[in-house]
C-alpha cells in the first residue's frame, strides 16, 4: 500500500487532500459571523460593493459608521478586504460562502505545501506532512475564524511564490514569484517571511538568480511599502488593545519563554485551545518564566542534537534542508515573540507559518535516520495520527457555533481573556440579563479596562436605573477609546438624566466631534423639541436623516409640530403611546 502511495500522481494526492479537508472542516461551514466580522464585513459599508475596491487599498480594515469612505485601523490588509468585498457582492451577508472560500485557501495551501515537500521527501511522507499541516487543531482557527482570512491568504500566496521559485529556474519566472509575494504582503505583513525564505533558498541552491531576484523584488516591496505608508503608516501604531501593549520591551520578553512553550505544548498536545491569549507576566517567576524556559531550552537542545547528527550521518543536501526548515520555523516564531508589541499575547493562528517549517524538519529527521518500522505499521500509525487530529479539529469547529459558546470555551482555556468576558457581557445584554452582564463586564474590566467593557457596564447600569453609575462607566470608556458609540450611549441618557442645558451642551460637543452620527442629531432634535424649540428640532432631524434611518413617526411628529413621546432605555428608540 505504501508503494502505491509513493507512486501516486500529484493530482491524486491533491484530491485526497481536498477530501480530507472538507471531511474535517465541514463542521464549521455553517458558523455565523462573529467578533470582528461585524465591523469588517456586516457593518462595513465600503466592503459591500466591489466598486469600492480602490478605497480598500487606502485605509485599514474597520468602518466607523460615520459616512467616511476611508477605513480605519492600524493594520493594512487590502487583499483580505478585497476578498470580503467580492464575496459579499456575489453572495451578500451569508457567512457560509466566506467559510467555503477560506477552506479552499487552506486546502490549496496544503496541496502546494505537498508539492514543495516533494522536492525533499517521497510522496507518502510529503502527503503525511501536508495532511498534518491541514488538519492539526493548532491551525484550525485559520480555517474556522473569518478574521483570520488574512493568515490563510498570506500563507497561500507565500507558499505559492516559494514553490514557483523552486519549480521553475528561469529568470522570467521570478516575476511570477514577485507577484505571488506581493499578494502575500498585501494580505498581511507577515508575508515578508516568504521573501526572506526566497532569498535564503536562492543563496544556498541557486545563486545565479539571487541578484536578479533581489532586483525584481524591489518593485513589489516598494509598492507595498508605499501603499501601506499612505494608508496606515509604515509601522503599525500601538492600539493598546491588550495588557501586553503597556509593557516595556524587557517586560514583554519575559513572556517569550511561555509563548514558545505554549506553541510547543499545543503542537504535541492540542487540547484546551483558545482563539486568543491575553495573559501577561512582566516579572520573573519560576512557573511563568523559568519552567517554560527550561522546556524551550530542552526542545532547542534536541534540535541542535538532531542537526549535529545530521551533519555526521546525512548528506549535505539533507543537512542544509534541515537548516532551511529550521530557519523557516524560527522566523515565524520570532515575528510573534512580542519584540514589537502586538494586539494580543499569543494566538494559535500565529504558529501557522512556523508549523510548515517544523514539519519539514521532522520530515528530514525521518528520512535521514530511517526508523526501523515496517511500512504497514507506518501507514497504520499515519492514519491513526491524522484521524485523531482531524477528529479533534472537527470538534473544534463546533466551538464557533455562536459568540456565547466561543467565549465560554475561550475562558475555560484562557482564564485571563478579558475580551471573552466582555463578549459574555454583550450577549447577556442582548438577552436582557443585565445583572449578569454587569458581573461579566466588571470581570472583564478587572483583567483589562477598555472602552468596550466599560461601555457594556454602562449599558447594564443604565438598564438597572443607576444613571450616575452609567455616566461614570461611559466616561471611563471614553478615557480608553474616544468613539461615537460611547457618545451615542451617553446621548441616550439625556432622556432620563441631567438638566436640559447640560444635555444640549453635551450633544452639541459630541456632534462637533462626530458630525456624521445620525443618532446624535436625532437625540438633539428630540431634546430641542422637548424644550419647545421646534425650529431647532426640525433642523437637527433633517441632519439626522442624512446619516441614518430615522423612526418615521418621530420624524413626522417633529416636522409637523405634533406631540409625541419616546423611550430609548432599551437601546432602541421607540414611540410610546
Amino acid at each position: 500500500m505504501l508503494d502505491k502511495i509513493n507512486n501516486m500522481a500529484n493530482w491524486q494526492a491533491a484530491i485526497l487532500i481536498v477530501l480530507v479537508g472538507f471531511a474535517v472542516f465541514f463542521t464549521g461551514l455553517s458558523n455565523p459571523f462573529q467578533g470582528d466580522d461585524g465591523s469588517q464585513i456586516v457593518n462595513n459599508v465600503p466592503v459591500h460593493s466591489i466598486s469600492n475596491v480602490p478605497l480598500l487599498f487606502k485605509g485599514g480594515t474597520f468602518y466607523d459608521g460615520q459616512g467616511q469612505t476611508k477605513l480605519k485601523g492600524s493594520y493594512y490588509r487590502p487583499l483580505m478586504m478585497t476578498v470580503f468585498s467580492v464575496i459579499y457582492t456575489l453572495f451578500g451577508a451569508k457567512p457560509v460562502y466566506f467559510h467555503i472560500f477560506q477552506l479552499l485557501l487552506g486546502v490549496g495551501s496544503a496541496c502546494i505545501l505537498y508539492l514543495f515537500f516533494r522536492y525533499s521527501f517521497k510522496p507518502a511522507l510529503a502527503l503525511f506532512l501536508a495532511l498534518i499541516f491541514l488538519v492539526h487543531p493548532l491551525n484550525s482557527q485559520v480555517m474556522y475564524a473569518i478574521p483570520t482570512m488574512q493568515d490563510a491568504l498570506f500563507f497561500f500566496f507565500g507558499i505559492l511564490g516559494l514553490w514557483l521559485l523552486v519549480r521553475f529556474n528561469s529568470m522570467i519566472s521570478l516575476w511570477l514569484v514577485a507577484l505571488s509575494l506581493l499578494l502575500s504582503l498585501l494580505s498581511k505583513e507577515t508575508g515578508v517571511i516568504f521573501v526572506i525564505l526566497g532569498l535564503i533558498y536562492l543563496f544556498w541552491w541557486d545563486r545565479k538568480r539571487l541578484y536578479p531576484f533581489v532586483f525584481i523584488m524591489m518593485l513589489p516591496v516598494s509598492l507595498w511599502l508605499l501603499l501601506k505608508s499612505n494608508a496606515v503608516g509604515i509601522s503599525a501604531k500601538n492600539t493598546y488593545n491588550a495588557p501586553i501593549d503597556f509593557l516595556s520591551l524587557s517586560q514583554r520578553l519575559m513572556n517569550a519563554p511561555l509563548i514558545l512553550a505554549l506553541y510547543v505544548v499545543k503542537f504535541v498536545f492540542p487540547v484546551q485551545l483558545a482563539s486568543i491569549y491575553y495573559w501577561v507576566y512582566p516579572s520573573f517567576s519560576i512557573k511563568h518564566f523559568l519552567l517554560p524556559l527550561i522546556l524551550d531550552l530542552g526542545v532547542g537542545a534536541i534540535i541542535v542534537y538532531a542537526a549535529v547528527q545530521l551533519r555526521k550521518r546525512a548528506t549535505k543536501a539533507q543537512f542544509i534542508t534541515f537548516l532551511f526548515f529550521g530557519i523557516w520555523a524560527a522566523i515565524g516564531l520570532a515575528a510573534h515573540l512580542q519584540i514589537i508589541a502586538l494586539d494580543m499575547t499569543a494566538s494559535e493562528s500565529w504558529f501557522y507559518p512556523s508549523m510548515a517549517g517544523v514539519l519539514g524538519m521532522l520530515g528530514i529527521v525521518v528520512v535521514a535516520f530511517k526508523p526501523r518500522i515496517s511500512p504497514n505499521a507506518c501507514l497504520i500509525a499515519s492514519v491513526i495520527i491524522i484521524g485523531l487530529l482531524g477528529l479533534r479539529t472537527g470538534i473544534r469547529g463546533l466551538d464557533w457555533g455562536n459568540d456565547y459558546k466561543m467565549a465560554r470555551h475561550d475562558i475555560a482555556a484562557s482564564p485571563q481573556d478579558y475580551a471573552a468576558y466582555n463578549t459574555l457581557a454583550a450577549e447577556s445584554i442582548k438577552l436582557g440579563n443585565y445583572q449578569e452582564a454587569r458581573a461579566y463586564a466588571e470581570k472583564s474590566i478587572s483583567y483589562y479596562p477598555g472602552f468596550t467593557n466599560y461601555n457594556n457596564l454602562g449599558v447594564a447600569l443604565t438598564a438597572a436605573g443607576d444613571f450616575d453609575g452609567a455616566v461614570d462607566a461611559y466616561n471611563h470608556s471614553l478615557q480608553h477609546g474616544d468613539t461615537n458609540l460611547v457618545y451615542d450611549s451617553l446621548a441616550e441618557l439625556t432622556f432620563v438624566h441631567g438638566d436640559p442645558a447640560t444635555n444640549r451642551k453635551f450633544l452639541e460637543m459630541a456632534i462637533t466631534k462626530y458630525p456624521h452620527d445620525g443618532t446624535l442629531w436625532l437625540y438633539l432634535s428630540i431634546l430641542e423639541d422637548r424644550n419647545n424649540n421646534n425650529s431647532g428640532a426640525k433642523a437637527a432631524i433633517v441632519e439626522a436623516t442624512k446619516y441614518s434611518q430615522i423612526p418615521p413617526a418621530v420624524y413626522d411628529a417633529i416636522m409637523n409640530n405634533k406631540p409625541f413621546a419616546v423611550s430609548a432605555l432599551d437601546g432602541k428608540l421607540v414611540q410610546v403611546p
Side-chain angles (χ1 to χ4, degrees):
M1 185 64 179
L2 200 61
D3 290 335
K4 290 183 179 180
I5 296 176
N6 280 323
N7 290 323
M8 69 166 45
N10 288 337
W11 65 268
Q12 293 174 313
I15 290 176
L16 182 58
I17 291 172
V18 170
L19 291 176
V20 171
F22 275 87
V24 169
F25 290 100
F26 81 95
T27 57
L29 294 179
S30 61
N31 287 337
F33 289 122
Q34 296 179 38
D36 287 344
D37 295 339
S39 52
Q40 290 187 336
I41 301 173
V42 180
N43 302 317
N44 194 336
V45 176
V47 164
H48 296 172
S49 172
I50 56 174
S51 63
N52 295 323
V53 166
L55 297 175
L56 307 181
F57 283 76
K58 298 178 180 179
T61 62
F62 296 100
Y63 180 64
D64 64 4
Q66 293 300 296
Q68 304 296 319
T69 56
K70 183 174 181 178
L71 298 181
K72 296 185 176 181
S74 59
Y75 294 105
Y76 191 54
R77 310 284 190 267
L79 189 59
M80 179 182 74
M81 304 309 293
T82 299
V83 168
F84 288 164
S85 182
V86 172
I87 298 175
Y88 193 98
T89 301
L90 293 175
F91 305 107
K94 298 178 181 178
V96 62
Y97 295 103
F98 292 82
H99 288 304
I100 290 173
F101 183 80
Q102 197 160 346
L103 176 54
L104 290 174
L105 282 175
V107 169
S109 293
C111 290
I112 299 172
L113 186 63
Y114 163 79
L115 295 176
F116 188 84
F117 281 155
R118 283 283 287 106
Y119 288 95
S120 302
F121 315 120
K122 291 182 178 180
L125 180 56
L127 180 61
F128 172 71
L129 296 174
L131 287 174
I132 292 293
F133 178 80
L134 175 64
V135 305
H136 198 288
L138 203 55
N139 289 343
S140 59
Q141 186 173 340
V142 179
M143 300 297 103
Y144 289 130
I146 296 175
T148 59
M149 181 82 76
Q150 57 188 356
D151 297 280
L153 282 167
F154 103 79
F155 188 90
F156 175 82
F157 287 110
I159 192 62
L160 175 62
L162 200 58
W163 174 74
L164 289 172
L165 194 64
V166 177
R167 173 64 178 82
F168 303 100
N169 58 11
S170 67
M171 296 297 178
I172 295 178
S173 66
L174 293 179
W175 291 100
L176 290 176
V177 175
L179 176 60
S180 296
L181 296 182
L182 172 62
L183 294 174
S184 181
L185 289 169
L186 291 173
S187 303
K188 190 177 182 180
E189 59 270 10
T190 319
V192 72
I193 292 173
F194 290 100
V195 178
I196 297 172
L197 290 175
L199 291 170
I200 295 173
Y201 168 79
L202 292 175
F203 177 79
W204 271 338
W205 286 290
D206 194 2
R207 284 190 194 179
K208 70 177 184 298
R209 290 196 298 162
L210 177 60
Y211 290 113
F213 177 74
V214 172
F215 177 77
I216 291 172
M217 280 304 301
M218 289 176 65
L219 179 61
V221 170
S222 298
L223 177 60
W224 170 67
L225 289 174
L226 180 64
L227 291 170
K228 185 175 186 295
S229 175
N230 179 67
V232 300
I234 290 294
S235 59
K237 301 178 182 65
N238 194 326
T239 53
Y240 296 98
N241 287 328
I244 201 162
D245 293 338
F246 291 87
L247 302 184
S248 65
L249 174 60
S250 60
Q251 290 175 320
R252 294 198 305 271
L253 292 180
M254 292 297 291
N255 294 273
L258 186 56
I259 294 172
L260 282 174
L262 171 76
Y263 296 131
V264 171
V265 172
K266 301 297 183 184
F267 176 72
V268 180
F269 303 106
V271 295
Q272 287 291 299
L273 302 176
S275 58
I276 298 173
Y277 299 87
Y278 284 113
W279 41 260
V280 288
Y281 303 104
S283 57
F284 175 84
S285 72
I286 294 177
K287 180 178 179 181
H288 300 122
F289 181 82
L290 184 58
L291 293 180
L293 180 61
I294 292 173
L295 174 61
D296 296 337
L297 292 175
V299 173
I302 293 173
I303 294 173
V304 171
Y305 175 79
V308 171
Q309 293 302 311
L310 284 170
R311 188 69 183 90
K312 294 178 179 178
R313 300 169 53 178
T315 65
K316 182 178 180 181
Q318 289 175 332
F319 175 69
I320 294 177
T321 303
F322 180 84
L323 294 182
F324 177 79
F325 284 123
I327 293 172
W328 185 334
I331 294 174
L333 288 170
H336 301 103
L337 287 182
Q338 301 297 338
I339 297 171
I340 298 175
L342 304 173
D343 53 2
M344 59 193 78
T345 303
S347 171
E348 290 160 11
S349 63
W350 290 349
F351 191 66
Y352 193 52
S354 292
M355 185 178 289
V358 171
L359 291 171
M361 295 170 66
L362 292 175
I364 292 296
V365 169
V366 170
V367 170
F369 289 94
K370 296 181 178 65
R372 296 180 180 178
I373 304 176
S374 69
N376 289 336
C378 284
L379 184 59
I380 293 172
S382 298
V383 171
I384 291 174
I385 292 172
I386 294 171
L388 290 175
L389 292 176
L391 178 63
R392 176 69 183 93
T393 294
I395 295 173
R396 173 76 166 140
L398 302 176
D399 295 338
W400 274 272
N402 56 63
D403 287 319
Y404 184 87
K405 185 176 183 179
M406 190 72 231
R408 295 294 301 180
H409 183 275
D410 278 355
I411 288 172
S414 180
Q416 297 181 19
D417 190 343
Y418 82 92
Y421 280 109
N422 190 44
T423 297
L424 293 178
E427 292 299 304
S428 297
I429 288 171
K430 292 178 183 178
L431 297 173
N433 300 328
Y434 295 108
Q435 285 299 111
E436 189 176 83
R438 176 178 180 175
Y440 283 134
E442 289 175 341
K443 186 73 171 180
S444 176
I445 291 168
S446 70
Y447 284 122
Y448 178 68
F451 77 91
T452 55
N453 47 24
Y454 265 118
N455 187 65
N456 282 331
L457 177 60
V459 173
L461 292 174
T462 298
D466 184 359
F467 303 134
D468 289 331
V471 170
D472 183 64
Y474 289 138
N475 285 330
H476 274 91
S477 179
L478 289 175
Q479 293 174 12
H480 295 281
D482 195 327
T483 72
N484 67 301
L485 297 178
V486 182
Y487 283 99
D488 288 350
S489 298
L490 281 167
E492 182 182 336
L493 283 173
T494 62
F495 282 79
V496 293
H497 185 267
D499 61 87
T502 302
N503 287 341
R504 180 186 292 108
K505 185 177 180 180
F506 162 74
L507 286 170
E508 290 174 344
M509 178 274 295
I511 288 173
T512 300
K513 293 177 69 69
Y514 296 100
H516 301 287
D517 190 323
T519 300
L520 293 175
W521 282 107
L522 174 61
Y523 288 168
L524 177 61
S525 174
I526 295 172
L527 179 67
E528 295 288 27
D529 185 82
R530 284 183 171 183
N531 291 297
N532 300 314
N533 180 11
N534 188 251
S535 61
K538 288 181 178 180
I541 200 76
V542 169
E543 287 296 316
T545 59
K546 295 179 182 179
Y547 309 113
S548 61
Q549 294 289 329
I550 303 302
V554 176
Y555 179 83
D556 179 67
I558 289 178
M559 295 304 293
N560 294 288
N561 201 19
K562 298 177 182 178
F564 69 96
V566 294
S567 171
L569 290 183
D570 59 354
K572 297 180 180 179
L573 191 66
V574 296
Q575 189 164 5
V576 179

